Amino acid sequence: MKNMLYKELKLAAAGISYFFLASALFTMIPGYPILMSGGFLTLGLFYSFQSMREKHDIEYSLLLPVSKADIVKGKYAFVLLLEGIGFVLCAILTVVRMTFLKASPVYLENALMGANLVYLGELLLIFGLFNAIFVRGFFKTGYYIGKPFLCYGIPLLLLIGLAEAAHHIPGLGLLNAFGTDEIEIQLIALACGVLLFVLLTFVGIRQSVKSFEKVDL
Amino acid sequence: MSVCEVKNLRKEYPSFTLDDASFNLEAGTITGFIGRNGAGKTTTIKSMLGYVHPTAGDISYFGMPFAGNENIIKQRIGYSTGMVNYYPKHKLREIAGVTKRFFDSWDDESYRRYLKTFELNEEKTPSELSDGMKVKFNLLLALSHRAELLILDEPTSGLDPFSRDELTDLFVYLKNQGVAVFFSTHVTSDIEKCADRILYIRHGKIVLGDTAEGFRAKLGQPGETLEETMLRLEKEARNQ
């Protein structure tokens, strides 16, 4: 798996995917739907799948002493690595907002979602959806990327819309807690995000391996 | 010694069926796999390597069934689909550098030697190579991990006569080193030049697999070249 990941990083990935990691900075923008950071981070990953197809990466992988399942797992390893880096960057910036910038007026007077642990949980849900819908959809053919991205894009936008609207609903304002306020709720939301991410990713990998195994290349 | 055994291989598509293909590949021999475009050569090769799923049949390499031993077997074989079209803008050095990590028996010395023999420049990218050089680069990767069996799908297609001549000479050299070479082609002169055995496929069915002499004795007519034999057989089949 180490070699597959090395191959992804060295040959298959699009350089722009790394640039898109900078989308984590959206976490700091006041008055902006910060969950879009997840959308842009996964858009960066989408470009790598596009690049991989243009570079005939699957054809090359077939020459190697690896199984089709290894090819799928290699791609997931790359996706998880970049999602991991993106998440850590977002988490660092979220902690900055939750502590040092807790009382900053630009964030206090923000009508949109703030950066807290609920945000991080929702970010993980976005990554889980990407892994379960887009990546899994790609491995149904090993070629097409448009339809899987559309299928992922719709729930992504719905999720962002829902997350932005939720804290305006009476009784759900605590989802937008500042700093460490309502920390139990924040921790529960983060735990739910972790759980859903793990579940969706696990299902995505399993289904992708099955689908790709059936594809005649 | 048999390095590959294919038994009753069948692959059904809506408009084409590879029907009950059976043959053996021996170490130190060159087997030419001939048939016109669409006869089933690529389907056979892809089925042999698990890239398409055979409807039925058994495939084994070095006495091991392919299913369940895929990674071990692929360490010992080299496969090429002809020209390199992957990573067109990456340097050959980078591609080889990644490839070597996957093969336990990768030999840097052989890699350097074949690089020199094939006059390949590591600093070039596949997009800068001619068609013939692309085929050679694919072969270089296969030979550098000491492949005992080379499976090559149309390696000479699109090459000029000089490059084809160089390639068939290389096949003979590899055969003398004990390597089994299995290559598909529709260029009969390549087969005539180097193949010890000929496997002829038509409409998804193996018509005959025999030594080059046996093939001529069974299907050829006196004074006929292989090309003339093939043309006659194909015309007869069409008229039937």
Side-chain angles (χ1 to χ4, degrees):
Chain A
M1 196 42 60
K2 200 175 73 180
N3 289 337
M4 285 303 283
L5 182 58
Y6 182 80
K7 189 238 353 157
E8 295 298 326
L9 296 168
K10 189 86 182 165
L11 297 175
I16 200 162
S17 297
Y18 304 116
F19 175 76
F20 267 80
L21 287 170
S23 313
L25 288 169
F26 292 174
T27 307
M28 301 301 285
I29 304 176
Y32 182 81
I34 56 174
L35 261 185
M36 283 303 290
S37 59
F40 279 102
L41 285 166
T42 52
L43 178 64
L45 286 166
F46 167 83
Y47 284 125
S48 270
F49 278 81
Q50 194 177 40
S51 148
M52 181 190 82
R53 190 177 66 171
E54 285 168 1
K55 293 175 178 176
H56 299 276
D57 173 67
I58 300 274
E59 284 174 37
Y60 167 78
S61 303
L62 292 174
L63 307 178
L64 303 172
V66 295
S67 63
K68 279 177 160 180
D70 294 329
I71 294 174
V72 173
K73 288 172 187 168
K75 288 277 172 263
Y76 269 101
F78 169 72
V79 167
L80 290 173
L81 177 70
L82 262 68
E83 285 175 348
I85 296 170
F87 181 78
V88 168
L89 293 173
C90 288
I92 291 169
L93 297 172
T94 299
V95 170
V96 169
R97 276 187 63 167
M98 286 173 70
T99 52
F100 304 114
L101 301 174
K102 184 184 172 185
S104 172
V106 288
Y107 294 126
L108 285 173
E109 290 161 20
N110 181 13
L112 296 178
M113 218 176 102
N116 58 15
L117 300 187
V118 179
Y119 158 65
L120 292 180
E122 286 164 347
L123 194 62
L124 285 172
L125 180 56
I126 288 178
F127 291 156
L129 289 173
F130 181 79
N131 300 347
I133 301 174
F134 173 74
V135 186
R136 187 255 185 280
F138 167 77
F139 279 113
K140 280 184 181 173
T141 60
Y143 186 79
Y144 292 112
I145 51 175
K147 190 178 163 191
F149 198 73
L150 187 68
C151 291
Y152 157 69
I154 294 166
L156 166 75
L157 293 176
L158 283 175
L159 174 67
I160 293 173
L162 203 66
E164 286 294 346
H167 62 93
H168 294 293
I169 298 169
L172 293 179
L174 43 82
L175 293 176
N176 205 24
F178 284 91
T180 51
D181 298 349
E182 308 289 353
I183 195 69
E184 295 85 359
I185 298 291
Q186 290 196 44
L187 282 168
I188 290 169
L190 178 61
C192 289
V194 172
L195 202 70
L196 285 168
F197 170 76
V198 171
L199 188 73
L200 288 166
T201 303
F202 177 75
V203 170
I205 295 174
R206 227 179 125 152
Q207 294 295 320
S208 296
V209 168
K210 270 190 190 170
S211 299
F212 195 50
E213 201 58 57
K214 288 181 195 157
V215 174
D216 281 342
L217 296 164
Chain B
M1 187 185 71
S2 173
V3 292
C4 175
E5 202 171 340
V6 176
K7 273 188 199 164
N8 309 114
L9 181 65
R10 185 176 177 86
K11 174 67 185 174
E12 289 170 11
Y13 288 111
S15 58
F16 174 80
T17 301
L18 173 68
D19 192 8
D20 214 25
S22 298
F23 55 90
N24 279 344
L25 302 176
E26 302 288 326
T29 59
I30 301 171
T31 305
F33 189 25
I34 196 160
R36 61 185 301 174
N37 292 333
K41 301 188 295 294
T42 299
T43 301
T44 305
I45 289 177
K46 285 188 169 181
S47 300
M48 286 168 69
L49 294 162
Y51 302 148
V52 304
H53 294 80
T55 312
D58 296 312
I59 298 146
S60 61
Y61 293 87
F62 314 108
M64 293 178 276
F66 185 69
N69 296 296
E70 187 177 343
N71 292 4
I72 304 168
I73 287 166
K74 279 184 170 178
Q75 288 279 355
R76 297 174 65 180
I77 63 177
Y79 164 62
S80 163
T81 52
M83 289 175 219
V84 175
N85 58 4
Y86 44 79
Y87 311 127
K89 297 295 178 188
H90 284 267
K91 289 181 178 171
L92 304 188
R93 178 173 43 77
E94 289 177 296
I95 300 172
V98 171
T99 308
K100 68 186 276 187
R101 291 172 156 255
F102 287 86
F103 290 97
D104 302 336
S105 54
W106 183 274
D107 180 6
D108 273 324
E109 204 179 299
S110 294
Y111 172 73
R112 294 275 152 218
R113 195 173 65 243
Y114 285 117
L115 198 66
K116 209 172 164 188
T117 308
F118 295 162
E119 296 173 337
L120 282 160
N121 180 349
E122 272 193 304
E123 297 307 310
K124 283 194 172 180
T125 65
S127 65
E128 294 168 333
L129 299 180
S130 67
D131 290 346
M133 294 306 256
K134 285 178 184 174
V135 175
K136 285 179 181 174
F137 180 61
N138 241 347
L139 282 172
L140 167 71
L141 295 182
L143 296 171
S144 301
H145 71 264
R146 297 176 178 151
E148 296 161 60
L149 165 63
L150 289 176
I151 299 176
L152 311 168
D153 191 10
E154 310 258 4
T156 57
S157 290
L159 300 192
D160 63 70
F162 300 104
S163 301
R164 290 206 334 256
D165 196 52
E166 277 178 4
L167 208 57
T168 47
D169 282 346
L170 176 67
F171 292 168
V172 173
Y173 167 78
L174 293 170
K175 175 186 93 162
N176 294 332
Q177 306 291 310
V179 175
V181 180
F182 178 61
F183 74 103
S184 69
T185 184
H186 50 261
V187 184
T188 48
S189 57
D190 296 341
I191 300 252
E192 272 183 320
K193 184 161 180 237
C194 67
D196 303 301
R197 296 185 64 83
I198 300 174
L199 193 64
Y200 171 35
I201 187 166
R202 187 171 62 208
H203 301 314
K205 266 185 161 317
I206 302 287
V207 177
L208 181 66
D210 207 332
T211 59
E213 297 75 30
F215 187 89
R216 283 191 194 94
K218 285 174 186 163
L219 295 181
Q221 287 179 354
E224 244 182 10
T225 62
L226 182 60
E227 182 160 330
E228 287 164 345
T229 305
M230 298 306 299
L231 282 172
R232 179 176 50 75
L233 292 171
E234 289 292 331
K235 278 178 190 165
E236 282 171 8
R238 193 177 57 196
N239 295 333
Q240 273 171 9

